[in-house]
Short mmCIF file of all heavy atoms in Angstrom, two decimals:
data_model
loop_
_atom_site.label_atom_id
_atom_site.label_comp_id
_atom_site.label_asym_id
_atom_site.label_seq_id
_atom_site.Cartn_x
_atom_site.Cartn_y
_atom_site.Cartn_z
N ARG U 1704 27.01 -8.10 -1.60
CA ARG U 1704 27.45 -9.29 -0.86
C ARG U 1704 29.00 -9.19 -0.66
O ARG U 1704 29.49 -9.42 0.43
CB ARG U 1704 27.12 -10.56 -1.65
CG ARG U 1704 27.58 -11.87 -0.96
CD ARG U 1704 27.16 -13.12 -1.72
NE ARG U 1704 27.64 -13.19 -3.13
CZ ARG U 1704 28.86 -13.46 -3.45
NH1 ARG U 1704 29.81 -13.71 -2.56
NH2 ARG U 1704 29.22 -13.50 -4.75
N GLU U 1705 29.70 -8.86 -1.75
CA GLU U 1705 31.19 -8.82 -1.64
C GLU U 1705 31.68 -7.65 -0.84
O GLU U 1705 32.79 -7.68 -0.32
CB GLU U 1705 31.74 -8.77 -3.03
CG GLU U 1705 31.57 -10.11 -3.77
CD GLU U 1705 32.05 -10.06 -5.24
OE1 GLU U 1705 32.26 -8.96 -5.78
OE2 GLU U 1705 32.20 -11.16 -5.82
N HIS U 1706 30.87 -6.57 -0.72
CA HIS U 1706 31.36 -5.35 -0.02
C HIS U 1706 30.71 -5.19 1.31
O HIS U 1706 30.82 -4.07 1.93
CB HIS U 1706 31.13 -4.13 -0.91
CG HIS U 1706 32.03 -4.11 -2.10
ND1 HIS U 1706 31.73 -4.82 -3.25
CD2 HIS U 1706 33.22 -3.48 -2.32
CE1 HIS U 1706 32.74 -4.63 -4.11
NE2 HIS U 1706 33.62 -3.84 -3.60
N ASN U 1707 30.04 -6.21 1.82
CA ASN U 1707 29.49 -6.17 3.17
C ASN U 1707 28.51 -5.01 3.38
O ASN U 1707 28.33 -4.49 4.49
CB ASN U 1707 30.57 -6.06 4.24
CG ASN U 1707 31.22 -7.39 4.45
OD1 ASN U 1707 30.57 -8.45 4.20
ND2 ASN U 1707 32.46 -7.40 4.88
N ILE U 1708 27.86 -4.55 2.29
CA ILE U 1708 26.80 -3.53 2.38
C ILE U 1708 25.47 -4.23 2.77
O ILE U 1708 25.12 -5.21 2.18
CB ILE U 1708 26.64 -2.76 1.06
CG1 ILE U 1708 27.94 -2.04 0.74
CG2 ILE U 1708 25.49 -1.78 1.15
CD1 ILE U 1708 27.96 -1.33 -0.61
N PRO U 1709 24.77 -3.71 3.81
CA PRO U 1709 23.54 -4.36 4.19
C PRO U 1709 22.56 -4.50 3.01
O PRO U 1709 22.41 -3.61 2.20
CB PRO U 1709 22.92 -3.37 5.23
CG PRO U 1709 24.13 -2.70 5.81
CD PRO U 1709 25.14 -2.59 4.69
N PHE U 1710 21.94 -5.68 2.97
CA PHE U 1710 21.10 -6.06 1.81
C PHE U 1710 19.77 -6.67 2.31
O PHE U 1710 19.75 -7.52 3.22
CB PHE U 1710 21.81 -7.06 0.96
CG PHE U 1710 20.90 -7.82 -0.02
CD1 PHE U 1710 20.50 -7.15 -1.19
CD2 PHE U 1710 20.50 -9.08 0.24
CE1 PHE U 1710 19.64 -7.79 -2.09
CE2 PHE U 1710 19.66 -9.75 -0.67
CZ PHE U 1710 19.24 -9.10 -1.85
N LEU U 1711 18.69 -6.18 1.68
CA LEU U 1711 17.40 -6.81 1.88
C LEU U 1711 16.80 -7.12 0.52
O LEU U 1711 16.64 -6.19 -0.29
CB LEU U 1711 16.49 -5.90 2.74
CG LEU U 1711 15.07 -6.36 2.99
CD1 LEU U 1711 15.04 -7.71 3.77
CD2 LEU U 1711 14.28 -5.34 3.80
N GLY U 1712 16.48 -8.38 0.31
CA GLY U 1712 15.86 -8.76 -0.97
C GLY U 1712 14.43 -9.18 -0.70
O GLY U 1712 14.18 -10.02 0.19
N ILE U 1713 13.48 -8.58 -1.40
CA ILE U 1713 12.07 -8.94 -1.20
C ILE U 1713 11.52 -9.65 -2.39
O ILE U 1713 11.57 -9.14 -3.53
CB ILE U 1713 11.23 -7.71 -0.89
CG1 ILE U 1713 11.74 -7.03 0.39
CG2 ILE U 1713 9.79 -8.04 -0.77
CD1 ILE U 1713 10.91 -5.79 0.83
N CYS U 1714 10.99 -10.86 -2.18
CA CYS U 1714 10.34 -11.65 -3.23
C CYS U 1714 11.26 -11.87 -4.41
O CYS U 1714 12.24 -12.59 -4.29
CB CYS U 1714 8.98 -11.02 -3.61
SG CYS U 1714 7.83 -12.28 -4.21
N LEU U 1715 11.07 -11.18 -5.55
CA LEU U 1715 11.99 -11.35 -6.64
C LEU U 1715 13.43 -10.98 -6.22
O LEU U 1715 14.40 -11.58 -6.67
CB LEU U 1715 11.58 -10.47 -7.85
CG LEU U 1715 12.42 -10.59 -9.08
CD1 LEU U 1715 12.20 -11.94 -9.77
CD2 LEU U 1715 12.16 -9.47 -10.08
N GLY U 1716 13.53 -10.04 -5.29
CA GLY U 1716 14.89 -9.59 -4.76
C GLY U 1716 15.55 -10.76 -4.07
O GLY U 1716 16.78 -10.93 -4.16
N MET U 1717 14.77 -11.55 -3.33
CA MET U 1717 15.32 -12.72 -2.65
C MET U 1717 15.74 -13.75 -3.72
O MET U 1717 16.81 -14.37 -3.63
CB MET U 1717 14.27 -13.31 -1.72
CG MET U 1717 14.62 -14.67 -1.08
SD MET U 1717 13.91 -16.03 -2.07
CE MET U 1717 13.89 -17.33 -0.83
N GLN U 1718 14.92 -13.93 -4.74
CA GLN U 1718 15.22 -14.90 -5.78
C GLN U 1718 16.48 -14.52 -6.52
O GLN U 1718 17.31 -15.37 -6.89
CB GLN U 1718 14.05 -15.02 -6.71
CG GLN U 1718 12.74 -15.51 -6.05
CD GLN U 1718 11.52 -15.54 -6.93
OE1 GLN U 1718 11.58 -15.07 -8.06
NE2 GLN U 1718 10.41 -16.06 -6.45
N MET U 1719 16.67 -13.23 -6.67
CA MET U 1719 17.94 -12.73 -7.39
C MET U 1719 19.17 -13.03 -6.51
O MET U 1719 20.22 -13.37 -7.06
CB MET U 1719 17.84 -11.23 -7.63
CG MET U 1719 16.75 -10.82 -8.62
SD MET U 1719 16.97 -11.52 -10.25
CE MET U 1719 15.66 -12.71 -10.28
N ALA U 1720 18.99 -12.92 -5.19
CA ALA U 1720 20.11 -13.23 -4.30
C ALA U 1720 20.49 -14.70 -4.40
O ALA U 1720 21.68 -15.08 -4.39
CB ALA U 1720 19.75 -12.88 -2.86
N VAL U 1721 19.50 -15.54 -4.55
CA VAL U 1721 19.75 -16.99 -4.70
C VAL U 1721 20.46 -17.28 -6.00
O VAL U 1721 21.47 -18.02 -6.07
CB VAL U 1721 18.40 -17.76 -4.62
CG1 VAL U 1721 18.58 -19.24 -4.94
CG2 VAL U 1721 17.79 -17.62 -3.17
N ILE U 1722 20.00 -16.61 -7.08
CA ILE U 1722 20.64 -16.87 -8.39
C ILE U 1722 22.07 -16.34 -8.39
O ILE U 1722 22.98 -17.00 -8.89
CB ILE U 1722 19.82 -16.18 -9.49
CG1 ILE U 1722 18.44 -16.80 -9.58
CG2 ILE U 1722 20.55 -16.19 -10.81
CD1 ILE U 1722 17.43 -16.06 -10.47
N GLU U 1723 22.27 -15.19 -7.80
CA GLU U 1723 23.62 -14.64 -7.73
C GLU U 1723 24.60 -15.57 -7.05
O GLU U 1723 25.67 -15.88 -7.51
CB GLU U 1723 23.57 -13.26 -7.03
CG GLU U 1723 24.84 -12.44 -7.05
CD GLU U 1723 25.93 -12.88 -6.08
OE1 GLU U 1723 25.61 -13.12 -4.92
OE2 GLU U 1723 27.14 -12.88 -6.48
N PHE U 1724 24.12 -16.07 -5.85
CA PHE U 1724 25.00 -16.97 -5.07
C PHE U 1724 25.26 -18.23 -5.85
O PHE U 1724 26.42 -18.76 -5.89
CB PHE U 1724 24.29 -17.30 -3.73
CG PHE U 1724 25.20 -17.83 -2.71
CD1 PHE U 1724 25.93 -16.97 -1.89
CD2 PHE U 1724 25.35 -19.21 -2.51
CE1 PHE U 1724 26.76 -17.43 -0.88
CE2 PHE U 1724 26.23 -19.70 -1.51
CZ PHE U 1724 26.92 -18.82 -0.71
N ALA U 1725 24.24 -18.74 -6.56
CA ALA U 1725 24.42 -19.95 -7.33
C ALA U 1725 25.49 -19.76 -8.43
O ALA U 1725 26.39 -20.57 -8.63
CB ALA U 1725 23.08 -20.37 -7.98
N ARG U 1726 25.37 -18.65 -9.13
CA ARG U 1726 26.29 -18.42 -10.25
C ARG U 1726 27.73 -18.11 -9.75
O ARG U 1726 28.67 -18.66 -10.26
CB ARG U 1726 25.84 -17.19 -11.06
CG ARG U 1726 24.58 -17.46 -11.84
CD ARG U 1726 24.32 -16.22 -12.75
NE ARG U 1726 23.02 -16.31 -13.41
CZ ARG U 1726 22.48 -15.29 -14.07
NH1 ARG U 1726 23.11 -14.18 -14.22
NH2 ARG U 1726 21.31 -15.46 -14.67
N ASN U 1727 27.80 -17.20 -8.74
CA ASN U 1727 29.15 -16.71 -8.41
C ASN U 1727 29.85 -17.40 -7.26
O ASN U 1727 31.02 -17.27 -7.11
CB ASN U 1727 29.05 -15.15 -8.14
CG ASN U 1727 28.53 -14.44 -9.31
OD1 ASN U 1727 28.86 -14.77 -10.49
ND2 ASN U 1727 27.65 -13.45 -9.11
N VAL U 1728 29.08 -18.07 -6.42
CA VAL U 1728 29.75 -18.81 -5.32
C VAL U 1728 29.71 -20.34 -5.60
O VAL U 1728 30.72 -21.00 -5.52
CB VAL U 1728 29.08 -18.49 -3.97
CG1 VAL U 1728 29.80 -19.26 -2.84
CG2 VAL U 1728 29.13 -16.94 -3.72
N LEU U 1729 28.54 -20.83 -5.98
CA LEU U 1729 28.50 -22.29 -6.25
C LEU U 1729 29.01 -22.64 -7.62
O LEU U 1729 29.28 -23.79 -7.94
CB LEU U 1729 27.05 -22.75 -6.13
CG LEU U 1729 26.28 -22.48 -4.84
CD1 LEU U 1729 24.91 -23.10 -4.85
CD2 LEU U 1729 27.10 -22.92 -3.63
N GLY U 1730 29.27 -21.61 -8.44
CA GLY U 1730 29.81 -21.88 -9.79
C GLY U 1730 28.84 -22.57 -10.72
O GLY U 1730 29.25 -23.19 -11.68
N LEU U 1731 27.55 -22.38 -10.47
CA LEU U 1731 26.56 -22.99 -11.38
C LEU U 1731 26.25 -21.99 -12.50
O LEU U 1731 25.45 -21.08 -12.36
CB LEU U 1731 25.25 -23.28 -10.60
CG LEU U 1731 25.41 -24.17 -9.40
CD1 LEU U 1731 24.06 -24.30 -8.64
CD2 LEU U 1731 25.88 -25.55 -9.79
N GLN U 1732 26.97 -22.21 -13.58
CA GLN U 1732 26.87 -21.27 -14.69
C GLN U 1732 25.45 -21.19 -15.28
O GLN U 1732 24.81 -22.25 -15.44
CB GLN U 1732 27.80 -21.70 -15.79
CG GLN U 1732 29.06 -20.84 -15.84
CD GLN U 1732 29.94 -21.22 -17.00
OE1 GLN U 1732 29.45 -21.71 -18.01
NE2 GLN U 1732 31.21 -20.92 -16.88
N ASN U 1733 25.05 -20.01 -15.53
CA ASN U 1733 23.69 -19.74 -16.14
C ASN U 1733 22.55 -20.24 -15.23
O ASN U 1733 21.46 -20.51 -15.71
CB ASN U 1733 23.54 -20.42 -17.49
CG ASN U 1733 24.48 -19.76 -18.48
OD1 ASN U 1733 24.70 -18.56 -18.47
ND2 ASN U 1733 25.04 -20.58 -19.36
N ALA U 1734 22.83 -20.32 -13.91
CA ALA U 1734 21.75 -20.64 -12.98
C ALA U 1734 20.70 -19.51 -13.14
O ALA U 1734 21.05 -18.36 -13.39
CB ALA U 1734 22.28 -20.66 -11.54
N ASN U 1735 19.45 -19.88 -12.99
CA ASN U 1735 18.40 -18.85 -13.19
C ASN U 1735 17.10 -19.29 -12.57
O ASN U 1735 17.00 -20.36 -11.96
CB ASN U 1735 18.20 -18.59 -14.71
CG ASN U 1735 17.83 -17.15 -15.00
OD1 ASN U 1735 17.21 -16.47 -14.17
ND2 ASN U 1735 18.26 -16.66 -16.17
N SER U 1736 16.07 -18.44 -12.73
CA SER U 1736 14.72 -18.84 -12.37
C SER U 1736 14.07 -19.27 -13.67
O SER U 1736 14.31 -18.71 -14.71
CB SER U 1736 13.99 -17.60 -11.79
OG SER U 1736 12.60 -17.83 -11.83
N THR U 1737 13.23 -20.29 -13.55
CA THR U 1737 12.55 -20.70 -14.81
C THR U 1737 11.54 -19.69 -15.24
O THR U 1737 11.04 -19.74 -16.38
CB THR U 1737 11.84 -22.10 -14.57
OG1 THR U 1737 11.10 -22.06 -13.37
CG2 THR U 1737 12.86 -23.23 -14.56
#
Side-chain angles (χ1 to χ4, degrees):
R1704 179 177 58 76
E1705 289 175 345
H1706 291 81
N1707 283 334
I1708 297 176
F1710 164 77
L1711 178 58
I1713 297 183
C1714 207
L1715 184 71
M1717 172 266 202
Q1718 298 175 354
M1719 294 300 109
V1721 170
I1722 295 170
E1723 189 279 319
F1724 198 86
R1726 290 186 188 172
N1727 299 322
V1728 180
L1729 306 186
L1731 303 176
Q1732 257 186 23
N1733 296 323
N1735 214 330
S1736 162
T1737 47

